[in-house]
Amino acid sequence: MPAAVSLRAGTSPLARRFATFGLSWRILGLVIAAVMTAELLLFLPSIARFRLVYLEQLIESGTLAALALDATPDNMVTDEVKRALLNHARVDAVILAEPDKPRRRLLNIAPRPDMPTFNLKERGALGLIWDALAAMTRDGAYYTRIGGESMRLPRAMVWIVVDELPMRIAMYDYSVRVLVLSIIIALFTAALLYLALRWLVIRPLQHLSADMVAFRRDPEEARSDRLRAERNDEIGVVDREFQSLQRELRASLRQKSRLAEVGAASNKINHDLRNILSTARLLSDRLASSNDERTRNLAPTIMKTIDRATRLASEAIEYVRDLPTPRLEAFDLTDLVDEVGVTLQEQGEDADPNLLRNWVNALNGECKVRADRDLLYRLFINLGRNAFDAGASTVTVRTQNGGAYLLVDVTDNGPGVPKHVTEQLFKPFTTGGRAGGAGLGLAIARDLVRCHGGEIAMTETGPEGTTFRFTLPASAH
């Protein structure tokens, strides 16, 4: 284990370095690839245009060579003059066909039927691109017959025979210049974009990701937060929201840690506290049978105090425990509600024989459910006891079919829940102004409902009473 930890510790800085700069280099590579792709798409029509202009210039120079024949009496020149004219025109043959005039010919190489022929007037853009690419793939001397119009003689048709090798070399030189220029443009553009993205995006993201990693490793550590981003773009919004989330989560985690510590401490002292309260209860029973009337009058008050202390300790222990796993079984909910009513009425009589507690089971007939009977018993006990302790004299339980859920309503005729309590009603230690309670009854009730896969909410409250509704999923009934 130490060796593994040491190995991770030794490699993590390098991994963090690559993780830090990985996005920057990827963006740089993508920009270079994008620019080079754009340059390639521009190069195809560019090289086709270069070949077209090159051939048009040869046609113009060939036309001038053919017009030189007009200066001779019989349109004939010596072989030496012919070669000089064709070499100056950089072609091997030229034929000038002009309407109403005889053809002018200068031939070092006579056109052959098998010679490739291209009429520039009939070639479209795609054809010119294909011809240029095909020409660059060939090797050695390659004679072709090219036809086109001359700017000097718009009505004439000029045909030339030319070796593609010099043109191919010129196309290679042009391609190299375009490639070098494209690389320079790509690097320059990528560098500018890289610097801009690194300043505007990468660096803020690096700080944000480092903050996330540190927060994940120790979310409760109190550290000085980074300065709030003043940017109004998406990164600024994310940065500010994340810092707000950090503060809220840290506060929540600290509170939960404190609650966990309180729960652990309460669990340790619960056994001793129960023993102490049991002893005190025995002493109270003896006081109740005392011959002194004043002592007997004090006994009920002491019993109520002991019972309240016992209940507070039990609720605290029940809340800090993990959510129980329900043991599902089929049973009649009507019987359970009746049993809860008997228990609550007995508890009310023990606390105050003159206190009226009316528990109404309004379920119509048999109501079969599949749930944990003990957990639902605790749920109804908590809801009913909360209602009676809050001042209600009557609590009514009803059910209705909610399609995929069974809806259970627990309605009382108490004074209602104060407005300032409604927003945090199911949070622990929310008492609603009632003295003597720990404020855990509804928090425990919510946990008992959720462990069945349902939810609980207060549907209405007011001077006429309050209704709590909880759901049991269809799989639970």
Side-chain angles (χ1 to χ4, degrees), residues 362-397:
L363 276 66
N364 296 324
E366 188 179 53
C367 181
K368 287 289 185 180
V369 297
R370 181 173 176 77
D372 190 311
R373 196 177 192 281
D374 292 337
L375 296 184
L376 288 188
Y377 176 85
R378 290 162 55 190
L379 170 62
F380 281 113
I381 286 289
N382 280 341
L383 292 176
R385 191 164 53 196
N386 266 21
F388 288 130
D389 290 348
S393 60
T394 301
V395 177
T396 305
V397 180

Side-chain angles (χ1 to χ4, degrees), residues 241-314:
E241 291 298 323
F242 177 68
Q243 291 187 42
S244 300
L245 178 63
Q246 277 184 314
R247 288 190 292 270
E248 294 174 3
L249 285 178
R250 281 175 185 155
S252 178
L253 289 173
R254 292 190 190 105
Q255 182 181 9
K256 290 184 179 297
S257 297
R258 294 191 184 98
L259 289 176
E261 294 169 358
V262 171
S266 301
N267 196 29
K268 291 177 182 178
I269 67 174
N270 180 57
H271 179 71
D272 294 336
L273 180 60
R274 286 178 179 271
N275 289 337
I276 294 172
L277 293 175
S278 297
T279 303
R281 189 179 185 91
L282 291 175
L283 294 176
S284 299
D285 290 339
R286 292 184 180 181
L287 291 176
S289 60
S290 173
N291 295 326
D292 187 1
E293 184 178 355
R294 294 182 59 187
T295 302
R296 289 197 306 272
N297 292 335
L298 291 174
T301 303
I302 297 175
M303 293 290 291
K304 290 180 181 178
T305 304
I306 293 173
D307 290 341
R308 186 162 54 247
T310 304
R311 195 176 79 188
L312 292 179
S314 300

